Amino acid sequence: MTALPIDAIKIGSRFRRDHGDIGALARSIEAVGLLHPVVVTPSNELVCGERRIEAARLLGWQEIPVRVVNIEAIVFGEQAENELRKDFTMSERVAIGRAVEESLGERRGRPSEENPQHVAEFSGRETRDIAAEKSGFGNAESYRQVKAIVEKGTLELVGAVDRGDVSIRAAAELSRLPVQEQREIVVAGPKAVVEAARAFRTVWGGACPNNTGNNEWYTPAKYVEFARKVLGSIDLDPASHPVAQQTVQAARFFTEADNGLAKPWRGRVFCNPPYSKGLITPFVDKLLSEIASGNVPEAILLTHNHSDTRWFQAVLGHARRVCFTAGRLNFYGPNSEIAAPVQGQTFHYFGTNAEKFEEVFSAIGAVLEPKTGGDALDALADAAR
């Protein structure tokens, strides 16, 4: 490790545009020192550490500690991978991996025309596999996951991975969530990160991209009783399970095997549909159709609060009241396992007893009367085409 004048470091085009709270970083460096030196090449080109440089400038530093990495040496194995594992953070190793990829070119198993000397050693291997190896990752999948965390995750999430507070797998799941949700979960601590990542994988199915998921999660008794207070009784639960019926106790219910989408719905309905992307829309469409036909005079629909989706906007166009829960519901599974979602929920009311719904459900969140027009739905339809 050595020191370089800050002005001597060459900062090229960077992937991350958001530097976050540089002032907070500067205060931390002033209090405890620079824990991780900036990483540069022998020609003083920045590999990683732009935020640290900006914080150092804010503190009035003229020079900054650096570690020098020779990318060509790394490519040809002169720098051991275990040295990278020991001395560099996860995000720094990703930056080194990217530099290795740039050095090798986009080969996809073929030799780089610009670097023919790589042919003998790397023939038949893809660039990302070589970059993963040379930057100290055990395999290409771990490298891919950490790259995704660095590219999509908040600075708080990346920092938690660098410190070893959370696993790569958990952080990779959370990096796909909205920025504010990532921050809230990381601030809540490592346990919250693990629980949220597990919920992301198992609770919401296709509601979030690339999830396979499980749709068998049932409404807690407290909220079913709220629905019963409004509806009086529940005639039909069209997306249910025998275990869930121990709580819902509907006069009639359909399971997955029954295929409630293919059956007529009648009476007062309570519906907590499967949240997978391919299923929630058909259930919403079915409910709205049965309401329009007069078969369902009153209903309460429980969904997650994905207001950016067309199905959610369609619901708002027909619901008399909507309750946005103040907290997230802890759903339960067939074996009494508990799983918390990674976003809030909404109860949608359809019928003539809107004031009763507002009176009951205002105990658990804000109850609003939707004011929507056709323009929003038309815009969403156009965007989907």
Side-chain angles (χ1 to χ4, degrees):
M1 188 170 68
T2 184
L4 271 180
I6 291 176
D7 290 341
I9 299 174
K10 305 168 188 174
I11 302 176
S13 176
R14 315 298 296 167
F15 183 89
R16 185 181 289 276
R17 296 288 186 264
D18 179 12
H19 286 171
D21 190 347
I22 297 297
L25 178 59
R27 291 190 293 274
S28 172
I29 292 174
E30 188 174 35
V32 300
L34 184 65
L35 301 180
H36 298 290
V38 169
V39 181
V40 300
T41 68
S43 58
N44 295 345
E45 294 177 354
L46 181 67
V47 176
C48 57
E50 187 175 7
R51 292 185 70 245
R52 282 164 272 175
I53 290 175
E54 293 303 317
R57 289 187 197 276
L58 195 60
L59 292 170
W61 291 13
Q62 300 300 310
E63 60 179 26
I64 191 169
V66 301
R67 279 194 296 233
V68 180
V69 294
N70 187 324
I71 300 302
E72 285 299 308
I74 291 174
V75 168
F76 288 104
E78 296 171 21
Q79 184 167 350
E81 288 91 25
N82 62 359
E83 180 182 338
L84 290 167
R85 293 192 187 96
K86 178 179 65 177
D87 292 339
F88 293 87
T89 66
M90 290 286 187
S91 57
E92 287 171 344
R93 284 160 52 194
V94 164
I96 291 169
R98 285 204 192 103
V100 169
E101 289 185 83
E102 291 176 6
S103 173
L104 292 174
E106 187 57 38
R107 301 168 56 263
R108 298 191 182 280
R110 300 185 299 276
S112 167
E113 294 179 2
E114 294 80 9
N115 298 288
Q117 69 271 29
H118 297 161
V119 173
E121 183 176 354
F122 300 134
S123 179
R125 299 179 62 193
E126 293 197 9
T127 296
R128 63 174 176 270
D129 295 323
I130 301 165
E133 173 192 324
K134 298 300 182 180
S135 55
F137 288 94
N139 53 66
E141 178 60 18
S142 294
Y143 176 53
R144 183 197 66 77
Q145 287 183 322
V146 181
K147 278 179 71 174
I149 296 166
V150 172
E151 292 171 2
K152 301 175 183 177
T154 63
L155 296 172
E156 294 85 353
L157 184 61
V158 173
V161 174
D162 282 344
R163 293 190 302 272
D165 291 346
V166 301
S167 70
I168 292 174
R169 184 185 182 195
E173 299 284 3
L174 295 195
S175 69
R176 291 183 282 177
L177 295 176
V179 167
Q180 188 56 40
E181 289 190 16
Q182 290 185 43
R183 287 175 176 155
E184 290 175 358
I185 293 168
V186 173
V187 167
K191 183 177 179 181
V193 171
V194 172
E195 291 176 351
R198 183 182 298 119
F200 184 94
R201 288 191 298 269
T202 62
V203 176
W204 295 117
C208 297
N210 303 321
N211 275 347
T212 54
N214 172 15
N215 286 307
E216 293 293 348
W217 297 100
Y218 314 134
T219 311
K222 170 183 175 180
Y223 305 101
V224 174
E225 289 309 309
F226 280 9
R228 206 183 314 276
K229 284 182 182 179
V230 177
L231 299 175
S233 62
I234 299 172
D235 297 321
L236 175 67
D237 181 351
S240 195
H241 185 279
V243 172
Q245 285 308 305
Q246 296 173 21
T247 299
V248 179
Q249 298 178 6
R252 189 182 184 202
F253 69 93
F254 301 137
T255 67
E256 181 180 7
D258 295 325
N259 186 12
L261 293 172
K263 297 182 180 298
W265 296 7
R266 300 286 187 272
R268 290 159 294 189
V269 170
F270 174 76
C271 184
N272 173 12
Y275 289 175
S276 292
K277 186 175 181 181
L279 288 175
I280 191 167
T281 298
F283 270 91
V284 166
D285 288 346
K286 174 73 170 177
L287 176 61
L288 296 182
S289 174
E290 296 286 15
I291 290 171
S293 68
N295 294 330
V296 174
E298 197 174 15
I300 292 177
L301 172 70
L302 169 58
T303 72
H304 46 281
N305 57 11
H306 281 188
S307 60
D308 60 321
T309 61
R310 193 178 193 285
W311 65 259
F312 194 100
Q313 292 294 319
V315 169
L316 291 184
H318 295 82
R320 294 290 306 281
R321 295 290 189 276
V322 178
C323 174
F324 290 85
T325 61
R328 299 168 186 171
L329 275 62
N330 290 317
F331 294 83
Y332 67 98
N335 299 310
S336 298
E337 65 273 30
I338 301 296
V342 293
Q343 69 278 307
Q345 284 69 55
T346 47
F347 288 87
H348 312 263
Y349 175 75
F350 308 83
T352 60
N353 207 4
E355 290 75 14
K356 181 66 173 179
F357 176 87
E358 186 169 342
E359 174 190 337
V360 172
F361 278 82
S362 61
I364 60 169
V367 177
L368 307 177
E369 181 179 359
K371 300 289 187 182
T372 61
D375 291 346
L377 287 176
D378 290 343
L380 281 168
D382 290 342
R385 291 191 184 106

